[in-house]
């Protein structure tokens, strides 16, 4: 294939010389027209928003200023259509120097390599032609060093990479991209391979490599990388646009659709559904009748503990960090639910309600309650996630819960037994790091952010799930600290990860959304927007009986969801809800919402946002469709967006609202009326509610249609007072009063 | 002496004499009567219960605030009507549109400092609702409580802020007053009860006067005057304390209780009786 490509280069060389002559003549003939065009284009290219971007505050990503200067020269000359100077300027930034970050306007910051490549690839027709005239010969000369039978493919790849980065618009740019795509595919980097092949189709529409052939390769890459939706769409497109056409693959003429379908069936479950069946919330439908049985209830905060907590809050009314309305984070995996209650991690079998294991006794926290309301600890930093056979918790040693700025540690437990596998304190480079934000498990590795004690510079780390050893780390940026609770020093924002089909998104909760590649290693782009307000202007006076500010009482957290290639997010401490088209990326819209609002869910049409009311926004128009006031009293703002119903767990029961208009279908009082409400989730055939006191599971009506596994046991009784499964050991019974 | 000056002196003397006679006559009349205070009390069960609630829609965008207000109002009214309680009516008392302050802005104002932050603020659309339940006197306590609980529950479930909030939050916070009455029990047949109380007050006054006359060995004559209210007392300073919870009261508020108990209609009359001289008339 490469040899054939090189044959065609001779013809292209001749064409290039002719084109160059035509270009020179054309340039002289059009001088007067260019003079006029310069003004208009220069105004478009001018970066007038630089100053505005500086004032955005919040998360700061380091930008390469020296490279930005050279790049601005290019943009200036390109705007004037002074191509010779423009290309000379870009020539001063060779491929190997394009390693920093550059601003791309509109709050976007992208890697220099991407930014320069993108700007060149999107030159106007005249600029593209000029580019070819100037660089075609050099690119072809470079690519000619590649030999198909070369024993050193690494060197070939390096050359192809240089051609792709610096001379993609030349007549051999598509060949270089194709070569890189093949190499990436062979190395298992299917997403990278798809990107290279897509670039050919986007920027070399008349490629001699053949569109059908490239599309088939793209489809294979999509299939291999498990991006089922894109694969299905592309397969459909191939079937419609190339009916009856064949393509030569491995020396054989094949029908592309048949070939791809056979690949799909051979690969079994390569079209990954992300274990969506396990906790499929769309099975939730209809209202919960009053007789909905309680499957089990586990009270982790005993009555004695509650009394101590209340006393502590009353005694420390002057401070108050919202500890009394805090609902612990939880995660679920299969039929297990795992909570992290101020560092005590415990797992429950959601089918039986049996407490499988816990890291410590629940009442160990009682002695800490007295200090907790005025502790410096950022209680929003506790996190838990499970993957494979491991549970990861971001925790503090309960003994040091109220220590001044005690670093949060990452601890790995065995999912089945709760046995501690490793902890960050024992891993060399992580010893002094404080972990922040729920880790993201990617296969055998995990992605997590850390910062030094008393620092706000965030480092992104990839660790091995098995032992916590570090694969790599890189600086992500510097956060602007935020003061939320009363009379306390500022705290770092807690970032949130979201894995999409081809990227990992990091919502900083500090005025930036960062897109990483699928492995989370390389930054693809950063979208900067208004950061949290400076704390300097905040009032520092409170009255004793003053109600807690909503943002503290509701423990508002940032959240991000992705629907059909659009990321919707709302940061903590921000009053804006965003919709960003990830393919651009491009901000589709943003709208004001309350600072304490939390993006609780989404379906195909709407976004559901919670404060002390639930609001449904139209995804397309950003218009508020309906809202309903709810008796929400504490943290754990969440909603199950079911097939036709939205379920919210409040301190007056579970509200079942019609998705279309918010009309109340029913209020199921349940067994947690003494709590503040909190998280709600469908776990298998159970509807699980996690409050500030207990974890309760119900058997919803829709569970009758779900086939449970063979280990499923019927719930003991529907009476919450007696329904908790007997604990495994006597000490548990002391703590669980339910 | 000139005849004009003599005439003037005679006229002056006549006026003085007349005045002296008038004063002497008045004093003689006051001394001849008996004045007593009569009190008449009638206890009655309240006949209506009033609950107040507030529907609120608050948002950064005016359009959102209106959508929220409409949604909350509709759901609240539907929830109350769904109870199908006989004699329960809902009455809106007027929509108001206000600029809502953030909690931080409120705190700043409490401190006498200018409100900081986003000047655009939020917009609040709100409407106080009056929920009135009639026919309470025919219900027993259990039945009434059950009905009230249903209304309050439905109100809370549907997002109505039940109970009237003090207009001055600072006052409440500083005094630790976090309780506000949810329901007010009222009388409706006040005129009828007042008439009964008047009769009782007159009877009470006559009884007292007769007793005084008997002790004084005089004969009680007819009533010569009636005044409503207590006798004025000398040297009494009236101190009015500022209380933001105390709203402007109308006549019906006098016969209102925040507790479920009998309400007393009390009338105090000052009644003057004449004394009939022996052999007189």
């Amino acid at each position: 294939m490469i040899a054939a490509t090189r044959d065609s280069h001779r013809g292209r060389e001749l064409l290039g010389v002719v084109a160059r002559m035509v270009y020179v003549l054309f340039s002289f003939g059009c001088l007067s027209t260019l003079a006029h065009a310069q003004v208009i284009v220069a105004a478009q290219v001018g970066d007038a928003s630089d100053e505005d971007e500086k004032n955005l505050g919040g998360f700061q990503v380091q930008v390469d200023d020296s490279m930005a200067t050279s790049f601005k020269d290019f943009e200036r000359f390109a705007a004037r259509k002074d191509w010779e100077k423009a290309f000379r300027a870009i020539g001063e930034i060779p491929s190997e120097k394009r390693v920093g970050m550059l601003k791309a306007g509109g709050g976007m910051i992208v890697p220099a390599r991407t930014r320069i490549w993108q700007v060149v690839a999107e030159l106007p027709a005249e600029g593209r032609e000029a580019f070819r005239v100037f660089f075609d010969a050099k690119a072809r000369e470079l690519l000619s060093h590649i030999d198909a039978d070369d024993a050193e493919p690494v060197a070939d790849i390096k050359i192809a990479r240089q051609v792709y980065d610096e001379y993609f618009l030349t007549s051999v740019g598509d060949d270089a991209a194709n070569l890189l795509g093949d190499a990436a595919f062979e190395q298992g980097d299917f997403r990278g391979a798809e990107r290279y092949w897509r670039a050919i189709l986007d920027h070399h529409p008349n490629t001699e490599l053949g569109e059908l052939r490239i599309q088939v390769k793209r489809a294979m890459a999509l299939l291999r990388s498990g991006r089922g939706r894109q694969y299905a769409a592309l397969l459909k497109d191939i079937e419609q646009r190339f009916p009856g056409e064949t393509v030569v693959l491995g020396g054989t003429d094949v029908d592309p659709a048949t070939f791809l379908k056979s690949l799909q069936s051979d690969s079994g479950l390569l079209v990954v559904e992300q274990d969506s069946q396990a906790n499929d919330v769309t099975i939730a439908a209809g209202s919960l009748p009053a007789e909905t049985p309680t499957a089990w209830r586990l009270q982790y905060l005993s009555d004695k503990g509650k009394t101590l907590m209340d006393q502590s809050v009353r005694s420390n009314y002057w401070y108050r960090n919202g500890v009394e309305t805090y609902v612990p984070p939880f995660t679920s995996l299969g039929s297990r639910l795992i909570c992290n209650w101020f560092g005590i991690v415990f797992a429950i079998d959601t089918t039986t309600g049996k407490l499988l294991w816990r890291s410590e006794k629940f009442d160990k926290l009682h002695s800490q309650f007295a200090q907790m309301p005025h502790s410096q600890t950022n209680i929003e930093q506790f996190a838990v996630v499970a993957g494979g056979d491991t549970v990861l918790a971001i925790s503090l040693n309960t003994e040091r819960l109220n220590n001044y700025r005690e670093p949060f540690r990452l601890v790995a437990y065995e999912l089945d037994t709760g046995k501690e596998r490793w902890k960050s304190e024992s891993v060399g480079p992580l010893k002094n790091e404080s972990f922040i934000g729920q880790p993201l498990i990617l296969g055998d590795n995990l992605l997590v952010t850390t910062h030094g004690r008393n620092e706000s510079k965030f480092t992104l780390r990839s660790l091995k799930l098995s032992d916590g050893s570090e694969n790599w780390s890189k600086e992500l940026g510097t956060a602007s600290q935020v003061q939320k609770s009363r009379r306390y020093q500022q705290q770092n924002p807690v970032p949130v990860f979201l894995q999409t089909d081809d990227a990992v998104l990091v919502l900083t909760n500090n005025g930036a959304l960062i897109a990483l590649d699928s492995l989370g290693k390389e930054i693809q782009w950063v979208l900067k927007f208004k950061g949290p307000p400076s704390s300097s202007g905040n009032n520092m006076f409170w009255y004793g009986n003053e109600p807690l500010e909503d943002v503290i009482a509701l423990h508002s957290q940032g959240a991000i969801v992705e629907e059909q290639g659009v990321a919707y997010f709302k940061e903590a401490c921000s009053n804006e809800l965003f919709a960003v088209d990830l393919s651009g990326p491009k901000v589709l819209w943003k709208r004001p919402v309350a600072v304490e609002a939390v993006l609780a869910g989404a379906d195909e049409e709407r976004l559901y946002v919670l404060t002390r009311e639930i609001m449904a926004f139209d995804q397309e128009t950003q218009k508020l469709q309906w809202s309903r006031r709810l008796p929400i009293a504490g943290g754990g703002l969440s909603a199950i967006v079911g097939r036709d119903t939205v379920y919210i767990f409040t301190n007056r029961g579970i509200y079942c609202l019609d998705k279309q208009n918010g009309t109340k279908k029913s209020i199921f009082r349940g067994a947690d009326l003494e709590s503040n409400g909190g998280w709600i989730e469908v776990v298998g055939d159970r509807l699980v509610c996690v409050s500030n006191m207990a974890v309760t599971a119900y058997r919803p009506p829709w569970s009758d249609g779900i086939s449970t596994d063979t280990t499923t046991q019927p719930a003991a009784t529907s009476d919450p007072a007696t329904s908790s499964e007997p604990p495994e050991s006597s000490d548990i019974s002391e703590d669980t009063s339910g | 002496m000139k005849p004009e000056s003599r005439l003037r002196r005679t006229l002056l003397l006549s006026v003085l004499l007349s005045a002296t006679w008038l004063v002497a006559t008045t004093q003689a009349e006051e001394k001849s009567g008996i004045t007593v205070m009569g009190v008449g009390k009638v206890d009655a069960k309240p006949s209506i219960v009033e609950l107040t609630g507030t529907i609120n829609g608050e948002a950064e965008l005016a359009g959102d605030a209106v959508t929220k207000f409409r949604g909350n109002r509709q759901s609240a009214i539907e929830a109350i009507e769904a109870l199908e309680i006989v004699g329960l009516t809902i009455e809106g008392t007027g929509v108001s549109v206000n600029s809502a302050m953030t909690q931080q802005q409120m705190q700043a104002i409490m401190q006498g400092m200018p409100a900081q932050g986003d000047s655009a603020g939020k917009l609040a659309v709100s409407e106080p609702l009056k929920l009135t339940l009639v026919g309470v006197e025919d219900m027993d306590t259990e039945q009434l409580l059950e009905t009230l609980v249903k209304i309050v529950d439905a109100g809370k479930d549907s997002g109505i802020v039940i109970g009237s909030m003090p207009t001055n939050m600072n006052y409440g916070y500083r005094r630790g007053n976090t309780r506000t009455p949810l329901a007010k029990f009222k009388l409706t047949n006040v005129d009828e009860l007042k008439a009964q109380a008047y009769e009782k007050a007159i009877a009470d006054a006559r009884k007292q006067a007769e007793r005084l006359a008997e002790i004084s060995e005089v004969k009680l004559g007819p009533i010569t005057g009636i005044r409503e209210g207590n006798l004025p007392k000398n040297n009494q300073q009236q101190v009015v304390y500022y209380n933001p919870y105390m709203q402007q009261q109308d006549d019906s508020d006098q016969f209102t209780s925040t507790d479920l108990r009998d309400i007393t209609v009390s009338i105090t009359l000052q009644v003057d009786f004449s004394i009939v001289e022996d052999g007189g008339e």
Side-chain angles (χ1 to χ4, degrees), chain A residues 537-539 542-543 545-547 549-550 591-594 613 615 624 627-629 652 655 667 669, chain B residues 60-61 64 67-68 72 75 103-104 107-108 110-111 113 116 122 153 156-159 170 173-174 176:
Chain A
N538 286 357
N539 184 23
W542 293 273
Y543 292 108
N545 292 312
E546 205 173 310
E549 293 91 328
D550 277 351
R591 67 156 4 257
V593 288
E613 57 198 349
M615 293 165 273
L624 176 65
S627 91
R628 187 184 172 90
R629 194 157 182 86
R652 295 180 65 80
Y655 275 64
I667 303 171
R669 301 292 179 195
Chain B
E60 285 71 13
L61 297 180
D64 289 359
T67 305
K68 287 181 182 182
N72 290 340
S75 62
Q103 281 170 310
Q104 282 186 346
Q107 287 159 3
M110 285 176 196
Q111 289 296 315
M113 295 188 292
Q116 295 169 338
K122 289 183 177 180
D153 258 348
K156 287 195 168 185
D157 283 343
S158 59
N170 191 4
Y173 290 142
R174 284 183 169 176

Side-chain angles (χ1 to χ4, degrees), chain B residues 7-24:
Chain B
L7 181 64
R8 201 175 295 141
R9 189 177 294 171
T10 310
L11 275 173
L12 188 64
L13 190 64
S14 308
V15 169
L16 279 171
L17 283 170
S18 304
T20 311
W21 178 81
L22 270 173
V23 169

Side-chain angles (χ1 to χ4, degrees), chain B residues 138-166:
Chain B
D138 300 328
M139 296 181 182
D140 60 37
T141 308
E142 278 303 308
Q143 203 181 351
L144 178 60
L145 271 178
E146 197 181 315
T147 309
L148 283 178
V149 165
K150 270 187 192 172
I151 298 170
V152 172
D153 258 348
K156 287 195 168 185
D157 283 343
S158 59
I160 307 178
V161 182
I162 299 280
S164 54
M165 287 296 287

Side-chain angles (χ1 to χ4, degrees), chain A residues 560-581:
Chain A
I560 180 166
V561 296
E562 191 239 338
E563 280 288 328
Q564 305 295 323
V566 179
Y568 301 94
F569 61 88
K570 153 78 179 63
E571 289 200 320
C573 298
S574 158
N575 62 353
E576 288 180 316
L577 177 67
F578 278 85
V580 174
D581 181 353

Side-chain angles (χ1 to χ4, degrees), chain B:
Chain B
M1 188 179 287
K2 287 182 180 177
E4 294 85 3
S5 60
R6 191 180 297 143
L7 181 64
R8 201 175 295 141
R9 189 177 294 171
T10 310
L11 275 173
L12 188 64
L13 190 64
S14 308
V15 169
L16 279 171
L17 283 170
S18 304
T20 311
W21 178 81
L22 270 173
V23 169
T25 309
T26 310
Q27 283 175 348
E29 278 180 4
E30 280 180 359
K31 282 176 183 171
S32 66
I34 296 175
T35 301
V36 290
M37 298 288 296
V39 178
K41 288 183 180 176
V42 177
D43 289 341
K45 260 186 106 174
S47 46
I48 62 170
V49 182
E50 261 183 24
L51 293 100
T52 52
T54 309
I55 303 288
N56 206 18
E58 196 174 296
E60 285 71 13
L61 297 180
D64 289 359
V66 172
T67 305
K68 287 181 182 182
F69 172 74
R70 282 186 191 142
N72 290 340
R73 192 179 196 282
Q74 190 184 347
S75 62
I77 288 175
E78 280 174 4
I80 299 293
E81 286 178 347
L83 295 173
E84 295 180 345
I85 295 173
V86 179
L88 179 65
T89 56
I90 312 169
E91 183 192 347
T93 56
V95 179
S96 64
V97 182
N98 300 299
S99 173
M101 275 189 291
T102 63
Q103 281 170 310
Q104 282 186 346
Q105 285 170 329
M106 283 172 69
Q107 287 159 3
I109 288 169
M110 285 176 196
Q111 289 296 315
M113 295 188 292
Q116 295 169 338
D118 191 354
S119 57
K122 289 183 177 180
L123 187 92
V125 182
S126 63
E127 182 182 21
L129 289 184
K130 191 194 276 187
L131 290 85
T132 310
L133 178 65
V134 298
V136 172
E137 68 271 29
D138 300 328
M139 296 181 182
D140 60 37
T141 308
E142 278 303 308
Q143 203 181 351
L144 178 60
L145 271 178
E146 197 181 315
T147 309
L148 283 178
V149 165
K150 270 187 192 172
I151 298 170
V152 172
D153 258 348
K156 287 195 168 185
D157 283 343
S158 59
I160 307 178
V161 182
I162 299 280
S164 54
M165 287 296 287
T167 49
N168 186 339
M169 300 293 284
N170 191 4
Y171 186 90
Y173 290 142
R174 284 183 169 176
R175 280 148 188 83
N177 192 343
T178 53
R179 292 185 181 189
T180 50
L182 294 185
K184 282 199 283 190
F185 301 89
K186 287 187 169 185
L187 291 175
T188 47
N189 52 342
V190 176
D191 289 343
E192 191 186 318
L193 295 167
K194 266 185 172 179
Q196 292 175 27
Y198 276 120
E199 280 178 23
K200 286 191 172 183
I202 292 289
D204 181 48
R206 184 174 294 283
K207 194 175 167 187
Q208 288 184 54
E210 280 174 350
R211 196 171 167 214
L212 285 173
E214 193 183 330
I215 294 166
S216 310
E217 295 178 347
V218 294
K219 193 174 177 187
L220 195 66
I223 293 172
T224 56
I226 300 174
R227 283 176 293 280
E228 191 167 352
N230 292 314
L231 282 169
K233 290 176 184 173
N234 293 330
N235 301 325
Q236 187 185 40
Q237 276 189 320
Q238 199 167 7
V239 181
V240 178
Y241 293 97
Y242 171 63
N243 181 355
Y245 292 95
M246 197 168 72
Q247 294 171 349
Q248 212 169 15
Q249 292 196 332
D250 55 25
D251 188 51
S252 64
D253 284 330
Q254 290 177 21
F255 307 106
T256 298
S257 170
T258 54
D259 305 324
L260 176 56
R261 56 174 168 76
D262 283 358
I263 295 173
T264 304
V265 176
S266 175
I267 295 291
T268 305
L269 297 176
Q270 183 186 332
V271 184
D272 300 329
F273 291 89
S274 61
I275 296 173
V276 181
E277 298 291 339
D278 279 343
E281 296 203 52

